[in-house]
Amino acid sequence: MTLASPKFRRPRKPYRPRKTAPRYLLSCACSLLGNSVAGVILPLVLLATTGDALAAGTLALICAVPQFVIGLIGGALTDRFNRRNVSIVSDILSAVSVALLPVVDMVWGLSFGWFVALGLLGAIGDIPGMTARDSLVPAVCERDGRSLQKFMGLTQSLDSLVVIVGPALAAFLMGAVGSVNALWFTAAMSLSAALLTLTLPRSLGAVCGAAAHAASPAAANIGTATAQPRRGLVSGAWNALREGVRVLFASDTLLRSSMLISFGVVMVMGSFQGLVLPVHFTAANSPELLGYVLSAMSAGMLASSLGYAALAHKLRRRTWYILSLTGMALGILGLGLLPPLPLLIASALMLGLSAGPISALLGFFIFDRIPAENRGSALGTQNSLTLAAAPVAVFATSLVVEGAGVSVAALALAGCWMLITVWALNTHSLKYLDDKESHPDPIPFVPDAERI
């Protein structure tokens, strides 16, 4: 009787979790690509349906207040429920709202009322999803061991690349299948974003604030632990607004100035993209050219974002800041003159080439200085205020277009940006970007229960 020799077994390789950043970035790219295509098509469809620039501004204003409230509730949701799950549900709602537009057009025909109803449904999906997706960024970086500052540069470059493709793809789709049918692509992209987010670990979106751990260690063992006590959505939304405003505007002067500049960019550029340029090209019977102008802007932003990521250490932050603001002023002035198409594309390219560095800088300041345990409320408030400011600016611009013409409105927007540039270059909090001592750490968040 012989004893069989034991079989040799190779030791198992240690388990290494799959990287989450590629799937997260791909999900963001799908969502952004769909929104980029819709951002070109929807204003043109609305103008073709109503034939009135004021209708576009009125629609934006009608949706502003509900969007603001929805954004606050979205901030409360992302500080209360799993952020990954909120993002998935939001993308599905966005897909449904956009898919209903061609369905309604086929069955009943689109009207101003349908645009209002479906616009509000889309806001219920888009705004909380935007907040939830932004709130996942630090968790993705921590899980994959990535630098937040470098990851912000990567996301900025990816966003610019997607936004280059979006307007050009929108122009192609409008020519191939028509404006309304092209919206099916947007719905498919939102659904793809939801499916990709579904592959991310559920633990990535768990809300586990430092305050919750300190106040109740048992809460850390709950899969959906929250950073603040349970409360109704209405009171949670109010608390999100109050704490978000405090963090964004009262606790840190650098963060406050960054937010104000961001609002200025959204209001001026939102009015150009959402009203002035669509009206200009519709009047010229060439609506498809809008996509190519916006693609030129995005191409410049991609190039400048990549250049900044590679050469950021070569110049001081303040130098990048000045060069970026100056170049943006020249580009917006060119757009404001509404010159012939070649010069309009050149101005858009100049604007994009200048916007990359300041976008990366402002984005880094915002993500770096918002307290982690209150990130959902702060970002929800930021998105709400941003999405409320843009429609107000579009409505004001539509009044100028109706009363004085699109050329006067374009020049007025350019003048507004010149004033913003002068303020941004002279405000004290943004004069010493390279001096860390000039910007101490923001005031730490203290939960309501601990303020007694």
Side-chain angles (χ1 to χ4, degrees):
M1 183 176 181
T2 59
L3 294 176
S5 60
K7 292 183 179 180
F8 175 74
R9 293 183 179 180
R10 294 182 179 179
R12 290 183 178 181
K13 295 182 179 180
Y15 172 73
R16 294 181 180 179
R18 291 190 299 165
K19 296 295 185 180
T20 58
R23 285 171 286 158
Y24 172 82
L25 291 173
L26 187 57
S27 173
C28 292
C30 288
S31 180
L32 182 61
L33 181 60
N35 290 338
S36 179
V37 171
V40 176
I41 295 175
L42 286 176
L44 297 174
V45 172
L46 181 59
L47 285 172
T49 302
T50 63
D52 187 4
L54 186 59
T58 304
L59 174 63
L61 190 63
I62 289 174
C63 294
V65 174
Q67 284 178 341
F68 180 76
V69 176
I70 291 167
L72 295 179
I73 294 175
L77 286 172
T78 54
D79 275 347
R80 177 171 179 153
F81 299 107
N82 189 286
R83 291 161 180 172
R84 163 190 171 271
N85 297 345
V86 172
S87 178
I88 293 170
V89 174
S90 298
D91 281 327
I92 293 175
L93 284 176
S94 297
V96 171
S97 67
V98 175
L100 283 175
L101 282 167
V103 171
V104 168
D105 187 57
M106 287 187 293
V107 178
W108 297 287
L110 286 172
S111 64
F112 183 78
W114 278 114
F115 276 104
V116 172
L118 296 179
L120 292 177
L121 178 60
I124 294 174
D126 285 338
I127 303 173
M130 183 190 311
T131 303
R133 186 174 287 109
D134 288 345
S135 299
L136 289 174
V137 170
V140 170
C141 292
E142 182 178 356
R143 182 182 178 90
D144 288 5
R146 291 176 175 268
S147 164
L148 176 60
Q149 186 171 4
K150 291 182 179 180
F151 192 74
M152 288 302 300
L154 179 61
T155 57
Q156 181 66 52
S157 300
L158 180 64
D159 290 352
S160 300
L161 178 60
V162 171
V163 178
I164 291 173
V165 177
L169 182 59
F172 170 77
L173 291 172
M174 284 190 292
V177 299
S179 298
V180 176
N181 287 330
L183 293 172
W184 286 110
F185 178 84
T186 296
M189 288 296 98
S190 294
L191 184 59
S192 299
L195 294 175
L196 285 166
T197 305
L198 187 62
T199 68
L200 298 176
R202 189 175 184 277
S203 59
L204 200 68
V207 185
C208 299
H213 286 269
S216 176
N221 298 323
I222 301 176
T224 57
T226 58
Q228 49 186 302
R230 291 276 180 177
R231 61 185 75 197
L233 283 180
V234 175
S235 59
W238 169 249
N239 183 69
L241 173 62
R242 185 166 55 85
E243 294 300 336
V245 169
R246 184 192 66 82
V247 171
L248 295 175
F249 297 101
S251 64
D252 190 321
T253 57
L254 176 60
L255 186 57
R256 177 172 63 245
S257 298
S258 299
M259 291 300 307
L260 292 176
I261 295 175
S262 298
F263 289 153
V265 172
V266 168
M267 295 176 73
V268 173
M269 294 312 303
S271 298
F272 266 113
Q273 180 175 343
L275 189 70
V276 170
L277 292 177
V279 170
H280 173 69
F281 284 113
T282 299
N285 295 319
S286 302
E288 70 280 357
L289 296 180
L290 173 64
Y292 298 112
V293 173
L294 298 180
S295 290
M297 186 188 306
S298 300
M301 197 161 185
L302 173 63
S304 61
S305 298
L306 292 174
Y308 176 77
L311 304 173
H313 62 285
K314 298 292 185 181
L315 297 174
R316 299 171 66 245
R317 287 180 181 175
R318 177 66 180 177
T319 303
W320 283 113
Y321 178 76
I322 294 174
L323 291 175
S324 188
L325 280 175
T326 303
M328 287 182 69
L330 294 176
I332 290 179
L333 180 60
L335 291 180
L337 296 174
L338 293 178
L341 182 62
L343 292 178
L344 201 59
I345 290 178
S347 298
L349 182 62
M350 176 69 181
L351 176 57
L353 286 171
S354 305
I358 195 170
S359 297
L361 279 173
L362 296 179
F364 170 70
F365 291 146
I366 291 171
F367 275 99
D368 185 56
R369 302 182 78 87
I370 291 177
E373 61 272 15
N374 207 33
R375 187 173 291 121
S377 298
L379 292 177
T381 302
Q382 176 197 0
N383 290 334
S384 296
L385 293 173
T386 300
L387 292 169
V392 171
V394 171
F395 178 73
T397 304
S398 70
L399 293 177
V400 179
V401 170
E402 285 294 309
V406 67
S407 299
V408 174
L411 287 175
L413 288 173
C416 290
W417 182 254
M418 297 305 122
L419 294 177
I420 293 171
T421 301
V422 172
W423 172 83
L425 290 175
N426 290 279
T427 186
H428 178 77
S429 59
L430 290 168
K431 281 187 176 181
Y432 307 99
L433 298 179
D434 299 277
D435 184 3
K436 295 182 179 179
E437 294 182 358
S438 298
H439 303 291
D441 292 335
I443 299 173
F445 169 74
V446 180
D448 292 341
E450 297 180 12
R451 290 180 183 170
I452 302 174

